[in-house]
Structures are given as C-alpha cells and as structure tokens.
Amino acid sequence: MADTGSSSPIITGQADYDAVVVGASLAGCATAIFLGRAGCRVALVEKQPDPDAFKRICSHFIQASAVPTLERLQLLEPILAAGGVRSGFHMWTRWGWVDTPPERASLGVNLRRSLLDPLLRRAAAEVPGVELILGRTAERMLRDERGAVAGVAVHDREGAVTELRAPLTVGADGRDSSVAELAGVDEKVLPHGRFAYGGYFEGEAPENAPDASIWMLDPEWGAAFPTDGGLTFYAAMPTKARLPEFKQDPEAALVSYIESLAEAPPIASSRPIEPIQGKLEMPNRVRATTAPGLALVGDAALATDPLFGIGCGWALQTGEWLADSVAPALRGEETLARGLRRYRRAHKRRLGGHARMIHDYATGRKLNRGERMIFAAAAHDPRVAETFDRFGSRQIGPARMLATSIPRSLLVNLRHRRQSAPEAEPGRGEERAQAALR
C-alpha cells in the first residue's frame, strides 16, 4: 500500500539496481542476501579485489542475539561445518565467576574472520539478483533532482569510474565509512579510554572451552575465545596508561597480561600462529542511520566499544532489519521514506539503550555502585547470572535487565552479607530478604 502521507514517491522508474550496498563484509552481505531473496536487484560493492579478503582486527565473536539471523540466512550450519564453535561465556569478577546454569546459557558462535568473511561473500554472490562487484571504491554519491542519494560512483584500481544507480544506497563499510562521509551524514564521536591487542594461539584449550572466558578487571579486561581449528583468540583491553609496554613488545605484553589473570588460561604454554594485532584508537561513532535514499548498517551506523563483543552480531542484525524494512518499498509497494523510517525506529529501539550504556563505560572508568551490586549478585545467584547472560548476549535490553536484576540483586547481596557474618543477628530487612529468596 502506498504511503500517501509522504512526499517521497513510490519507486516506479528504472535504475541500474534496486539497491547498491557498499561493503561486502558481514553487514553488507547480510543486507544483500535478504534483499536478493526479497526479489530485489542488488549491487554488492567491495573495495578489496580478493573474494577471500577478511577483516584482520576482530575478536570474531557473534553474540547469541544474532544466531536467529544466521539461521534465517541459512548460514549457521555452513559456519559450523567450517569449524565454527558454539560458545557461551563465563565471566570472572572480583566477587567470583559469573556462570549461567549450562541448560539456560546463551550460545553464540566463534569462527575466525578469515573463514567467516569469504563464506558470507560466496553466499551473497550465489543469491539470484545479487551482483558482487570486487575491487571498486566509492568516490562520490549520485543525487536525484530532489537532492536525495540516487546511487554511488565507484572507481577501480586503474581509475576507471562506474556509476551505479539505485533508489537505495547502503553504507556497510565499517566505522570509518566513506559512504557516510561522502553523503555528509551527521556523526557524533565519543571517547574511548582503552586500547586492544589480541592474537590467535595454538596449544592447550582454556578450562571453559568451548565457552569464552572474560575477565572484568575493573577497569581493564581480558578474554579467551576458543574457536575453529583448536585455536584460542586471546585479547587484552587495558587502559591507555599501559600502552607503552604493549607497543614495545606486543606478544610479550599480551602473554604477560593474560598469564597474570586469576585462574589464568594456558597462554604461556601456547604459541601464536601470527603476529599480535593491535587497535590503539577506537572512538565510539554514532551516525544518523538514514537519509533520503541512504541507509547505514553495522559499524557504519553505530561503532561501539569492542569490549562487549557486539560488532559482528549487530552487523548481521542491522542488515536483516534494513532489508525487512525497505524491501516492500523497493518492490514498489510503498514509499522508500516509510521503509527507511521503519528501519530507523527499529535500530534506535533495539540498540539505543545498549549503546548508551556501552559508551558510558568505554571511557575507561571503573564500575559504578549499581554495576558492582549487579556483578556481585550475579556471581552468587544463578537467576541474576542468567539475566546478566541474556543482557550481555544482547537478547534483552537494559530496561528489562535492570527491572529484573536490581530488586533481586539487593536481596542476594543482603543474604550473602548475612551468610558471611553468621555471628550477627539478622535485622528485619534481612529476614524479609532471606524469606523472599527461598
């Protein structure tokens, strides 16, 4: 049905494509696959000429919230066949380990990007209606008579320029999105107070394998992600005061850092299979997700602190949300403005609360009082741990997590303090708390 309340017209004219997607990594491939399956003609443009190119600095973890998207893409089984590992997570805190009961734990997916990226690119290229265009870089946006984005001009390595016209252009080209810059999209940059180093090691698996282990060191962070081929990705995110030692000798600093963790994984007896990679500047970037004729997905729309491992999952999910939102318009059933508005609202509703909390902690600050209360309770109570697991894997939002966790965390901590001091007589408040927990 047409959106007669909008000045944006129904798409009826001819163009080269229905959509041009710039960036053939996770977000771009997911968008192209879903749009292609919806009957759209899609140009999927990638600046790298090699179809097996992959993102090199990434922890690769796909949160449980994105597993339904993988299933809908029909890629979960191929990922597992390629060696992907289904993983929950265990989190060390100074109050103890936060462990969700195994039967209720959320399971994400671990597969190295060297395998994951080519797999998605091949899947996208096989969808009828999707044309994979390699070795092309966006150089300027095309505009229609109203000033709306109407496609993109790209050039190859010899400088030859091709204009790809479409009613919708999608920026799926990462946190430093050239599409967003060329289109003049509004952007907010927020500070990040940590840096990251990580690398793949072969050797003895960590104790919790195949699950990931995370150390919340407050305010620093360490992790071990078991993945395909019996490898483990070890990562550290210290505050910037420790940057000189990592820059001097990244491998020695990473091994020393992980080795110093409580109940440390066996990194000292393992061997790196490639040089340790680092990311020194990781500002949070928040961009307007849509403009007339334009949409951004993945890190191009919202690039947040990688400490929380949400980049890969959100890339896949935002591609799904966008395709579902705009496919009716690209088929001529409604205005594109309506479809873009639907996507913009979905993006804000599903990710806005998570992003605000992530950006606040990304400054490098220590946990605040409320966070300490919930972390402490999660280490002592399986119900709080399960809620924290669902929130950490981005299956529920902050409002639901807080509404569920705060009351019980208060009671759990009261009970724990009472059990830690058995000689004390319980007060009336503590008696009510203990009764409520029974």
Side-chain angles (χ1 to χ4, degrees), residues 215-419:
W215 284 260
M216 294 296 295
L217 304 173
D218 193 22
E220 299 187 344
W221 178 91
F225 295 96
T227 189
D228 59 275
L231 301 175
T232 300
F233 183 78
Y234 288 110
M237 288 187 67
T239 55
K240 290 187 176 178
R242 300 190 63 171
L243 183 55
E245 65 182 281
F246 276 82
K247 291 178 70 173
Q248 182 179 6
D249 190 336
E251 181 181 328
L254 177 64
V255 171
S256 176
Y257 187 94
I258 298 297
E259 204 176 9
S260 70
L261 299 174
E263 302 178 50
I267 190 171
S269 60
S270 302
R271 184 185 71 85
I273 65 167
E274 59 188 15
I276 304 303
Q277 301 284 332
K279 188 76 170 177
L280 307 187
E281 296 296 335
M282 300 173 289
N284 300 281
R285 296 182 180 273
V286 184
R287 297 186 176 99
T289 51
T290 66
L294 177 74
L296 303 178
V297 291
D299 280 354
L302 177 64
T304 59
D305 185 357
L307 183 149
F308 293 96
I310 39 69
C312 293
W314 285 0
L316 296 165
Q317 290 177 277
T318 54
E320 177 182 25
W321 302 337
L322 175 63
D324 287 347
S325 296
V326 301
L330 298 181
R331 293 194 297 260
E333 299 167 9
E334 64 179 22
T335 67
L336 183 58
R338 171 177 278 189
L340 291 174
R341 185 165 60 247
R342 187 181 299 123
Y343 170 63
R344 184 169 63 248
R345 290 173 176 171
H347 193 283
K348 182 177 180 180
R349 182 178 69 253
R350 295 174 177 177
L351 303 187
H354 287 291
R356 284 190 293 273
M357 295 184 75
I358 289 170
H359 297 159
D360 181 57
Y361 190 65
T363 58
R365 68 165 175 83
K366 294 176 70 68
L367 297 171
N368 62 37
R369 184 177 180 180
E371 292 163 345
R372 292 196 302 270
M373 177 186 70
I374 294 173
F375 274 62
H380 298 131
D381 182 75
R383 284 174 54 185
V384 179
E386 181 180 358
T387 300
F388 197 87
D389 172 276
R390 289 182 58 76
F391 171 69
S393 58
R394 309 303 160 183
Q395 297 176 88
I396 62 173
R400 183 174 172 187
M401 184 276 291
L402 293 172
T404 303
S405 296
I406 288 178
R408 186 163 182 88
S409 293
L410 287 167
L411 299 175
V412 167
N413 289 327
L414 280 171
R415 181 182 69 174
H416 183 71
R417 283 198 296 269
R418 174 59 189 163
Q419 291 175 340

Side-chain angles (χ1 to χ4, degrees), residues 9 36 47 58 86 93 98 100 109-110 113 119 152 175 191 208 226 272 288 291 313 315 332 361 394 402 425:
K47 66 181 180 181
C58 180
R86 295 301 307 273
T93 73
V98 176
T100 304
V109 178
N110 273 295
R113 296 294 296 267
L119 189 155
V152 62
R175 68 164 52 236
N208 291 321
Y361 190 65
R394 309 303 160 183
L402 293 172
E425 289 296 324

